[in-house]
């Protein structure tokens, strides 16, 4: 794909995301016209409109864009280092690990306005612990960390953690039970400017580190033997990339809950559009991931007259059949 076409595609992704953001800002249980929206951003509008748009909707929408981008980026890294097109944070047990530590935290510590802000850090610890368990179990003394063992270990670990999570949930009171259920379903709960400002530098630094390794991810596609023959330390680079992918995903999971399949879908969409090299593939996956999540969250908010459907459920409705399609396709 030529550089000109790549830039056109980037601009298209950005325009679609902007359109989705504007539509989401304008629609909800209380609708706002485009003129009223412009007035609010220019410092006008009523106090109720400014509260609705600037304090409630905008931070949630920006979080969806940022978290979706992080998940798309993480999924691209995981698929590259595992050499498996079906790799995803949900499938590999990272989401389950984050959810389990959040559940433990809620079970033993009474939640309040202050303790809720500790949940992102708690989710990160759980995600890193799950990734550490995958590396420890999948490590082979002779071959190091192989892609097949990593994926299989992640699936088994995810199943075991999910079983423990269900067992612990029976001990929760109704309020915490509802929160954990919505969190696991992928509800964007951390919709405040505090989480937006916390997520922006995390994602920015992670993106720079990822782009620094884009050539290594290209080489990984040739296989472990070919990668080692050109001087790549396969085991070391795979481990560092796994940690980076987990850190990126955990930052998103901490504010959105367990959104599965987004990290699987976004890289496949951009590859299907002609992006091959990771120098172009990584930014495109980030942009598409953000677009997918903000659209899913908007659909979830508007689909029901009262209440909402978590964004993770909307993503799963599309992602689960797509995962089965990829699985059947890979077996042919």
């Amino acid at each position: 794909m030529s550089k000109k076409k790549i830039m056109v595609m980037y601009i298209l992704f950005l325009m679609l995301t902007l359109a989705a953001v504007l539509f989401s800002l304008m629609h909800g249980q209380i609708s706002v016209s485009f003129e009223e929206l412009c007035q609010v951003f220019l410092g006008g509008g009523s106090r109720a409109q400014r509260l609705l748009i600037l304090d409630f909707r905008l931070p949630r929408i920006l979080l969806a864009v940022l978290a979706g981008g992080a998940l798309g980026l993480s999924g691209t890294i995981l698929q590259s280092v595992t050499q498996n097109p079906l790799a995803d944070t949900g499938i590999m047990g990272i989401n389950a690990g984050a959810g389990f530590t959040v559940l433990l935290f809620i079970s033993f510590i009474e939640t309040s306005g202050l303790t809720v802000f500790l949940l992102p850090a708690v989710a990160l610890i759980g995600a890193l612990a799950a990734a550490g368990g995958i590396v420890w179990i999948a490590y082979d003394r002779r071959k190091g960390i192989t892609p097949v063992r990593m994926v299989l270990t992640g699936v088994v670990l995810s199943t075991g953690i999910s079983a423990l999570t269900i067992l612990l949930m029976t001990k929760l009171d109704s309020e915490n039970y509802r929160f954990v259920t919505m969190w696991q379903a992928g509800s964007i709960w951390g919709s405040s400017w505090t989480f937006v400002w916390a997520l922006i530098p995390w994602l920015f630094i992670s993106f720079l580190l990822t782009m620094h390794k884009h050539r290594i991810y290209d080489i990984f596609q040739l296989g472990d033997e070919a990668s080692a023959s050109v001087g790549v330390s396969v085991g070391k680079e795979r481990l560092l990339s796994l940690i980076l992918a987990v850190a990126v995903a955990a930052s998103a999971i901490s504010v959105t809950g367990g959104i599965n399949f987004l990290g699987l879908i976004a890289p496949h969409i951009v590859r299907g559009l002609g992006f091959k090299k990771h120098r172009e593939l990584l930014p495109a996956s980030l942009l598409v991931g953000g677009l997918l999540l903000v659209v899913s969250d908007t659909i979830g908010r508007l689909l029901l007259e009262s209440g909402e459907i978590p964004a993770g459920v909307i993503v799963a409705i599309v992602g689960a059949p797509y995962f089965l399609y990829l699985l059947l396709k890979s077996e042919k």
Side-chain angles (χ1 to χ4, degrees):
M1 186 183 291
S2 65
K3 290 183 178 180
K4 184 178 179 180
K5 188 175 180 180
I6 289 170
M7 289 305 299
V8 169
M9 294 299 293
Y10 285 164
I11 294 170
L12 178 61
F13 294 150
L14 288 171
M15 290 177 64
L16 288 172
T17 302
L18 179 60
V21 167
L22 290 174
F23 182 87
S24 188
L25 282 171
M26 292 165 58
H27 293 84
Q29 290 187 351
I30 301 174
S31 296
V32 178
S33 69
F34 183 72
E35 290 76 16
E36 290 171 331
L37 185 66
C38 291
Q39 287 177 1
V40 169
F41 282 115
L42 292 173
S46 66
R47 183 179 178 183
Q49 288 174 340
R50 291 196 299 272
L51 185 67
L52 174 68
I53 294 171
L54 299 179
D55 292 340
F56 289 102
R57 287 185 184 170
L58 186 57
R60 174 173 176 158
I61 292 167
L62 290 179
L63 272 177
V65 173
L66 293 170
L71 291 171
L73 189 66
S74 177
T76 306
I77 300 170
L78 285 176
Q79 290 173 19
S80 299
V81 299
T82 62
Q83 298 164 24
N84 188 328
L86 303 179
D88 173 67
T89 55
I91 297 166
M92 293 187 65
I94 294 169
N95 289 7
F100 183 69
T101 50
V102 166
L103 179 58
L104 282 176
F105 182 80
I106 290 175
S107 299
F108 294 102
I109 297 177
E110 184 177 352
T111 55
S112 65
L114 294 176
T115 56
V116 162
F117 286 95
L118 294 175
L119 290 181
V122 172
L124 175 60
I125 292 170
L128 289 173
I134 292 171
V135 171
W136 180 60
I137 297 171
Y139 182 78
D140 185 277
R141 289 185 178 180
R142 291 177 297 175
K143 299 180 180 179
I145 305 171
T146 60
V148 175
R149 286 176 66 94
M150 275 181 64
V151 174
L152 291 177
T153 301
V155 171
V156 173
L157 196 65
S158 178
T159 304
I161 294 173
S162 297
L164 288 174
T165 300
I166 293 171
L167 184 64
L168 274 177
M169 284 178 68
T170 60
K171 307 296 182 181
L172 295 177
D173 58 50
S174 58
E175 184 178 347
N176 283 335
Y177 180 87
R178 183 178 181 280
F179 175 80
V180 172
T181 303
M182 292 294 289
W183 195 93
Q184 289 184 322
S187 175
I188 301 177
W189 67 273
S191 53
S192 74
W193 285 106
T194 302
F195 293 109
V196 173
W197 297 125
L199 192 54
I200 287 174
W202 189 281
L203 179 58
F204 180 72
I205 294 170
S206 300
F207 177 71
L208 292 180
L209 292 173
T210 304
M211 290 299 293
H212 180 67
K213 292 180 175 292
H214 71 87
R215 291 189 180 86
I216 293 174
Y217 299 145
D218 287 336
I219 295 171
F220 265 136
Q221 307 312 300
L222 303 175
D224 288 0
E225 292 184 4
S227 299
S229 67
V230 296
V232 174
S233 179
V234 176
K236 176 185 175 182
E237 291 296 340
R238 179 168 286 137
L239 178 60
L240 291 175
S241 296
L242 178 62
I243 293 172
L244 179 59
V246 171
V248 175
S251 65
I253 293 168
S254 67
V255 293
T256 63
I259 294 182
N260 298 322
F261 299 114
L262 185 61
L264 170 73
I265 298 172
H268 281 280
I269 289 176
V270 295
R271 286 193 183 98
L273 292 172
F275 292 87
K276 301 299 180 185
K277 293 185 178 181
H278 283 79
R279 184 176 181 178
E280 295 87 25
L281 182 63
L282 290 164
S285 296
L286 185 146
L287 293 172
V288 170
L291 174 61
L292 288 175
L293 190 54
V294 74
V295 169
S296 298
D297 185 52
T298 304
I299 292 172
R301 285 198 301 109
L302 301 178
L303 205 57
L304 300 178
E305 291 185 4
S306 60
E308 62 180 63
I309 301 173
V313 175
I314 304 296
V315 173
I317 289 172
V318 178
Y322 189 68
F323 174 77
L324 291 175
Y325 163 74
L326 291 174
L327 186 62
L328 293 172
K329 186 179 178 181
S330 65
E331 290 178 352
K332 291 182 180 180

